[in-house]
Amino acid sequence: MTPRLDDDHTGARIKEQRKLARLTQRQLADRLPYSYSLLNQVECGAKPANLDFVAAVAQALRIDVTVLTGQPYVTELQQDRLAELVRPIREALDLYDLGADDTIPDRPSGQLVASAEELCAQVRATHLRNAARRLPATIAELTTAAWRAQSTELWQALASTYRTAHDVAVKLGYYDLSSVALDRMDWAAHRASDPCLAAIRQYMRALVYFREGEYTIGQRLVAAGHGIVGGAEQTREAVAVIGQLHLGASVIAARADQQTSVDTHIAEAKRCAEQTGDASEIHWLSFGPTNVALHRMSAAVEMRQYDEALTQARQINIPPTLATSRRAHFLIDKARSEMETGRTEAALSSIIDARHAAPEQTRYHPGARETIKGLVHISRRTPDSLGHMAAWIGL
């Protein structure tokens, strides 16, 4: 028996918010770059709502995306005992302006910096539970140490832990918490006088607006990032950050259906990657030639050029050193493209591979969840493996 969406699916919430806005289906459809027929099918649960569709609806209704997606994955988070780890992170982020805590003993700066680096590595390896569990204590220690020593190195490490808090919050669907973490990252980056960290913060803010469907603001934030790092000495670090800003801009432009802009940003990122080579160690951005190719494919997916995306996917050679989080993202993009081109068995295989590579990331990744829902809807008979995946994400 094929599973069906329950009454709390995204389409039902779209219908509720549309009615609150006193709009008919036809009136809302007129505000979207999508058909009336698709809106009708999404609202009644006949088709799942993909990420760009939800962002477009949220923008048309002038509401946050999370109003339509709901508090993500509450049941699954509780089952995985991850929800209970979020509150301590929220509390740790609120310590930033309280100065040093006399109850926290001194620890050598080198050990604290290493702890911040290890947290970044945990997130890139998609060990979200481990990272979330260790984050609060590390933030508290670094906050106290930075206030005591007032050293650039410790302010940089504190900014790094705030960035990790943002990454964890985003991957678990806590977007309000991710915004707080980014504000703290900016606060610490200014105290470190580090233009690269400040520019990375603008890049991450841009991706927040990308998820919300506010592409113009996202593009302005990327431009602000270029303005911050562009005036700095053009070190390998700075070039990698500039390249990553171009990659972020390419995906935003793709979602806005701006092909020329996509091509321009990908070309600039490629030029930067030719200068840096594999720079995946710089601020854990995974920047380099492989990441440029991955973003070029992601841009094709965002522009719904699914055949082109699969052509590119076949040409990408994923090195074993690539961060697990990036490898899983590639597999999720590939699965979406396979599903959209009728390659349902291949799509299921790719999603299963993503789960094996990064179970926590895949379970909470909106693209993975929507692809699984899409496969359920188009499958006449649900294979046991697909039924298992659907149950795993809480469908």
Side-chain angles (χ1 to χ4, degrees):
M1 180 177 178
T2 300
R4 62 179 298 276
L5 295 180
D6 59 29
D7 292 335
D8 192 37
H9 61 84
T10 301
R13 286 188 284 270
I14 289 174
K15 181 178 181 179
E16 178 185 24
Q17 291 300 316
R18 172 179 61 75
K19 288 184 173 181
L20 287 173
R22 300 176 183 273
L23 295 174
T24 65
Q25 278 190 338
R26 182 69 66 184
Q27 288 171 327
L28 177 55
D30 288 342
R31 300 183 182 187
L32 302 175
Y34 296 93
S35 69
Y36 165 79
S37 174
L38 178 59
L39 174 61
N40 180 274
Q41 292 179 79
V42 167
E43 282 196 2
C44 71
K47 277 193 175 182
N50 62 32
L51 304 181
D52 42 353
F53 181 87
V54 174
V57 171
Q59 188 175 28
L61 295 176
R62 298 186 179 279
I63 57 177
D64 289 340
V65 166
T66 51
V67 174
L68 300 179
T69 58
Q71 175 57 57
Y73 337 132
V74 171
T75 300
E76 292 78 18
L77 284 167
Q78 290 171 344
Q79 288 173 350
D80 290 348
R81 302 186 67 81
L82 283 167
E84 65 193 43
L85 300 178
V86 172
R87 182 176 177 85
I89 296 172
R90 194 182 298 276
E91 292 171 350
L93 291 175
D94 215 26
L95 301 175
Y96 74 106
D97 61 348
L98 299 182
D101 183 346
D102 293 337
T103 67
I104 295 179
D106 283 324
R107 197 150 66 100
S109 296
Q111 290 183 16
L112 291 172
V113 172
S115 293
E117 286 290 295
E118 177 59 24
L119 283 175
C120 283
Q122 290 280 326
V123 172
R124 296 305 166 276
T126 70
H127 298 153
L128 302 183
R129 182 183 288 101
N130 291 343
R133 186 179 294 115
R134 292 174 51 188
L135 253 175
T138 304
I139 291 174
E141 276 196 283
L142 274 166
T143 302
T144 285
W147 276 113
R148 284 173 179 164
Q150 297 288 322
S151 78
T152 296
E153 182 183 44
L154 286 172
W155 287 122
Q156 287 173 327
L158 181 57
S160 175
T161 61
Y162 288 146
R163 180 261 185 93
T164 299
H166 159 78
D167 287 343
V168 169
V170 165
K171 290 180 187 303
L172 297 182
Y174 287 87
Y175 298 123
D176 61 332
L177 184 61
S178 76
S179 295
V180 174
L182 287 183
D183 286 343
R184 302 294 183 265
M185 182 182 178
D186 184 53
W187 176 84
H190 278 299
R191 279 154 181 76
S193 299
D194 190 327
C196 285
L197 277 174
I200 292 169
R201 183 252 182 175
Q202 297 291 57
Y203 160 76
M204 291 178 168
R205 283 181 70 199
L207 295 185
V208 170
Y209 281 96
F210 164 75
R211 285 189 293 271
E212 292 287 341
E214 296 286 353
Y215 310 128
T216 301
I217 297 176
Q219 290 166 334
R220 289 179 63 190
L221 286 166
V222 168
H226 280 295
I228 293 169
V229 77
E233 181 185 354
Q234 293 302 287
T235 60
R236 183 167 176 265
E237 175 191 13
V239 172
V241 172
I242 289 169
Q244 192 67 29
L245 284 165
H246 280 298
L247 292 181
S250 72
V251 181
I252 294 172
R255 182 72 70 83
D257 205 26
Q258 299 170 350
Q259 182 71 66
T260 301
S261 184
V262 170
D263 295 340
T264 298
H265 286 298
I266 290 292
E268 287 298 313
K270 183 178 179 182
R271 181 183 61 79
C272 291
E274 288 169 353
Q275 293 182 53
T276 64
D278 179 13
S280 54
E281 81 286 357
I282 293 178
H283 293 294
W284 302 91
L285 292 171
S286 298
F287 185 73
T290 300
N291 209 14
V292 173
L294 291 173
H295 276 75
R296 183 169 172 246
M297 175 195 167
S298 289
V301 173
E302 293 298 339
M303 298 184 77
R304 298 181 288 282
Q305 300 169 356
Y306 300 115
D307 283 319
E308 173 63 21
L310 289 177
T311 297
Q312 292 178 25
R314 287 189 285 269
Q315 297 170 353
I316 296 174
N317 181 26
I318 302 293
T321 55
L322 185 71
T324 302
S325 56
R326 289 300 302 146
R327 184 179 301 110
H329 192 98
F330 163 74
L331 289 166
I332 291 167
D333 272 350
K334 184 167 174 277
R336 178 179 170 187
S337 299
E338 288 164 337
M339 180 190 71
E340 294 287 355
T341 54
R343 299 170 172 87
T344 54
E345 290 185 7
L348 177 57
S349 177
S350 293
I351 282 290
I352 291 173
D353 287 346
R355 178 186 178 179
H356 288 160
E360 290 178 348
Q361 175 176 327
T362 303
R363 189 175 194 187
Y364 303 114
H365 193 291
R369 297 173 72 87
E370 292 305 327
T371 296
I372 292 169
K373 290 177 183 178
L375 288 171
V376 167
H377 275 272
I378 63 180
S379 296
R380 291 186 177 180
R381 181 180 180 278
T382 305
D384 290 342
S385 52
L386 177 55
H388 180 68
M389 291 292 284
W392 180 62
I393 66 165
L395 180 60

